[in-house]
Amino acid sequence: MTHTAHQAGPATKPPYAGTRPPRLHQIPAFTDYIAQHWGSEPIPVDLPEGTAPAAAAHRRRLSAALPGRTIVAAAGTAPIRNDDCAYGFRADSDFVWLTGVQVEGAVVVMTPVSGGHETTVYLPPPFRPGEDGFFGNAMHGELWVGASPGLTEWSRALDVAVRDVAELDTSAGLSSTNGPVLATAVVPETLRRSHSMEVSAELGRALAQLRMIKDDWEIAQLRHAVDASVGGFAAVAGEIPRAIDEGLGERWLQGTFDRHARTHGNGPGYSTIVGSGPNAPVLHWTRCDGPIRPDGALLLDMGVEARSLYTADVTRTLPASGTFSPAQRQVHDLVEKSHRIAMSHVRPGVNYLDFHFAAMEVLAEGLHDWGLLPVSVDEALSPAGQQHRRYIVCGVGHHLGLDVHDCSKAEWEDYMGADLQPGVVMTVEPGLYFHTNDLSVPPELRGIGVRLEDDLLVTDTGAEVLSEALPIDAAGIEQWTRRHMPSA
Ligand code: GLY
Ligand code: MN
Ligand code: MN
C-alpha cells in the first residue's frame, strides 16, 4: 500500500479523465467527513519499569559533567527504503540513555540553570482526527501507523516538560551564553545549522565515559537481555535436527533466534550469526544462508536486545551432532583455556587490556605447540610479530550496554587505556578461526571456527559472568546441546 492511496479513487466515468484527480486533502467533503465521529482514548506510555527515573539519573550525571553547557541529543530517523517504506527505526543510544524515549524524530534539550540543567523533550505529536496528517501522513498519521501517546501522557510518564518538536526551531532553550551548544551527531543538520550547534566531541566523550559505568537499573536490563538470550540459545538448539533433516539450514536457526528475540525483547541486538561448518570461521557470517552440516561445529553469536534496548552478546559453538569431533574438541579446549584465563583478568583496578593480552598469550602458546607458528611465542606476541593473529584477527572483547559495541567512540585512554571499574559490563570472546582454504593449517583443522563469548559485570571485588547459565567446557556444551536437541 502506498500513500498515493489517499488520492481520490476513479469514479465509473471520471469527470477529470486525463487530468490529475484532486488529492484527498483538497476535497472538503472528504476532509470534513473524515474529521468526524472518531472516539479518542488516551494512549498510555509503555516504558519498561524504572525507565524514567533511570534516565533522570543519567541526565544528572551528564549535567554534573558539563555544567553550564547547553546540550542537545536526538533520537534520529529511520532511513527510507522505498517511497513511504522505511527501515525499522531504532532510537540513538545516547538519546535513549538520556530520556528512555524511543520515538522517531524526538529531540532533548538540556538547558543550564542554576544548580544543573532543565530538560525539555520535543516530540512529533501524533496526527489525530481533524488533521490532514491523520489520513495523509504515512509516517506519522494515526490511520497509518496506529495511535500513540500524546505530549501530555509523555510529560507525565517522564516527569519532564514535553513540547511539540515543531516548536524547537524557536525554542529559547537553544540559545547558549556559555560557549557553543553541544550536539550529538544524530541532531538533524538543519537544526544544527539554524542554531550554530556543533557536533561536540566533548559531549560525545562525556556520554561515552558515563555510559561505560552501568547503574543498578541498567544492570537489571542487561541481566534480562542475557537471560532472554540464553533462552534463545535453547530454542535454536532445539531446532537443529529440523534444520538438518528438512534442509532448512542456517536461515531457520537465525529466524528462530530472531523470533525469540522479538518476542522476549525488542529484537536481536545485532545481526545474528549462525555459521555451520566452513562458515563458522567467518567472523561476521550474517548471511546465514548455508546448510547445517551434521558433523560440523555450529557457531552461534546471538544477543537479545531488551525492550529498554540494552543488549546481550553471547557466543557458543555447538556440535551439530551432539558430539565434537576430536579436531573440533582440540580447538574448543584451547579456546576455553584462553577464555578462562582472560575472564580471570576482569576485575576492578586491572587495566582493561590485560584480559586481551592474557587471552592472546594462551592462544599463541597453543598454536605454537601445534606447530602452527612460524616464530617463537615471544616473537609472535611482540608488537612487531602478531603471527598468531592470522587465526584471530578480531578483538577479544568490548564494553556492552545499549550498543553491542558500547561506547565504541570513547577515547583510547577512557577505554582501552583505562582500569576496569565496578559497573563496567563487557564481553570476553576469544576464538580460533581456521578457514577452509587456509593452507597454513593441517586439513583436519580447516573449516573449524570456535568462539566462546560471555558477558561479564565488574563488581566491587571481581566479576560476575552474567551468561554463566551456558556451559563453556566442551563436555558441558555437548551435554547441554543434547539436552536441548532431544533427537541427537
Ligand atoms: N556479535 C558481535 C561481537 O561479538 O562483537
Ligand atoms: Mn562481542
Ligand atoms: Mn558476539
Side-chain angles (χ1 to χ4, degrees):
M1 186 172 305
T2 79
H3 64 243
T4 51
H6 60 83
Q7 290 183 332
T12 324
K13 281 189 185 165
Y16 36 75
T19 61
R20 183 177 186 157
R23 301 258 172 190
L24 282 176
H25 71 268
Q26 296 167 329
I27 307 173
F30 169 80
T31 54
D32 287 352
Y33 188 54
I34 200 169
Q36 302 171 40
H37 310 305
W38 299 97
S40 71
E41 290 286 319
I43 307 290
V45 171
D46 181 19
L47 289 173
E49 207 184 324
T51 300
H58 298 163
R59 288 193 301 274
R60 281 194 295 277
R61 288 169 65 199
L62 184 64
S63 173
L66 296 172
R69 314 301 300 275
T70 303
I71 297 159
V72 184
T77 51
I80 298 296
R81 180 167 176 172
N82 163 250
D83 196 22
D84 60 7
C85 300
Y87 287 97
F89 173 70
R90 201 288 195 177
D92 175 71
S93 295
D94 284 330
F95 180 80
V96 172
W97 190 79
L98 286 170
T99 63
V101 175
Q102 300 180 29
V103 176
E104 185 168 11
V107 175
V108 62
V109 178
M110 292 174 61
T111 311
V113 292
S114 106
H117 283 77
E118 201 169 73
T119 299
T120 308
V121 171
Y122 292 85
L123 296 176
F127 288 113
R128 305 272 200 221
E131 298 173 79
D132 276 0
F134 174 63
F135 60 87
N137 186 314
M139 310 295 267
H140 299 293
E142 282 195 350
L143 268 189
W144 288 86
V145 298
S148 49
L151 305 185
T152 312
E153 287 84 42
W154 271 112
S155 182
R156 220 175 280 138
L158 297 174
D159 199 23
V160 296
V162 174
R163 305 183 78 87
D164 186 334
V165 75
E167 296 173 29
L168 191 50
D169 264 341
T170 51
S171 162
L174 279 182
S175 56
S176 173
T177 48
N178 191 11
V181 174
L182 310 178
T184 63
V186 186
V187 174
E189 202 180 335
T190 43
L191 186 65
R192 280 194 264 127
R193 282 226 199 96
S194 59
H195 289 82
S196 314
M197 288 181 213
E198 287 173 8
V199 174
S200 164
E202 187 185 1
L203 174 59
R205 181 173 187 177
L207 283 165
Q209 280 176 329
L210 295 170
R211 280 178 50 195
M212 270 194 274
I213 308 299
K214 273 68 184 176
D215 58 34
D216 289 347
W217 182 81
E218 293 179 289
I219 291 165
Q221 296 304 313
L222 285 159
R223 281 186 201 284
H224 167 71
V226 171
D227 290 348
S229 303
V230 170
F233 272 77
V236 167
E239 292 295 317
I240 293 173
R242 188 168 173 201
I244 296 172
D245 296 346
E246 298 182 29
L248 302 172
E250 295 167 349
R251 291 173 195 266
W252 184 254
L253 301 185
Q254 174 196 32
T256 299
F257 185 82
D258 290 358
R259 174 167 51 86
H260 181 92
R262 181 67 188 149
T263 308
H264 298 281
N266 187 52
Y270 52 90
S271 296
T272 295
I273 296 173
V274 175
S276 170
N279 298 331
V282 182
L283 291 171
H284 285 173
W285 183 255
T286 53
R287 276 187 247 163
C288 304
D289 60 359
I292 304 298
R293 313 269 174 158
D295 298 321
L298 176 63
L299 190 150
L300 303 171
D301 185 342
M302 315 187 294
V304 171
E305 179 183 73
R307 304 257 162 96
S308 57
L309 305 188
Y310 288 80
T311 190
D313 180 14
V314 179
T315 307
R316 288 296 183 272
T317 307
L318 310 182
S321 66
T323 308
F324 285 117
S325 71
Q328 291 163 0
R329 190 173 183 131
Q330 173 190 340
V331 178
H332 201 285
D333 285 348
L334 180 53
V335 173
E336 181 199 342
K337 186 175 176 193
S338 169
H339 190 51
R340 286 188 189 278
I341 288 176
M343 287 198 296
S344 74
H345 285 73
V346 176
R347 52 180 197 274
V350 170
N351 181 257
Y352 172 84
L353 278 176
D354 279 14
F355 84 101
H356 167 96
F357 291 119
M360 289 301 175
E361 192 175 321
V362 173
L363 295 178
E365 282 167 358
L367 290 165
H368 188 266
D369 290 346
W370 296 348
L372 294 184
L373 286 189
V375 295
S376 70
V377 171
D378 285 348
E379 252 181 289
L381 290 174
S382 74
Q386 301 297 305
Q387 288 85 348
H388 58 292
R389 298 293 299 274
R390 177 185 178 117
Y391 309 112
I392 173 164
V393 296
C394 56
V396 291
H398 48 82
H399 281 255
L400 186 67
L402 278 166
D403 288 308
V404 61
H405 291 183
D406 214 36
C407 309
S408 57
K409 295 207 174 78
E411 297 293 322
W412 193 90
E413 30 319 341
D414 298 335
Y415 192 138
M416 306 266 175
D419 287 348
L420 293 173
Q421 299 176 56
V424 162
V425 176
M426 58 184 283
T427 72
V428 174
E429 51 177 306
L432 283 172
Y433 309 97
F434 301 116
H435 291 262
T436 44
N437 61 342
D438 189 337
L439 306 182
S440 74
V441 298
E444 65 272 17
L445 289 183
R446 292 179 204 160
I448 296 179
V450 171
R451 171 160 68 256
L452 273 170
E453 179 172 26
D454 277 303
D455 301 343
L456 280 74
L457 164 68
V458 180
T459 63
D460 289 337
T461 53
E464 179 187 343
V465 183
L466 302 178
S467 41
E468 70 180 356
L470 293 174
I472 58 173
D473 62 301
I477 287 174
E478 287 178 337
Q479 261 174 21
W480 183 93
T481 305
R482 288 194 211 118
R483 197 167 73 239
H484 291 89
M485 195 179 63
S487 60

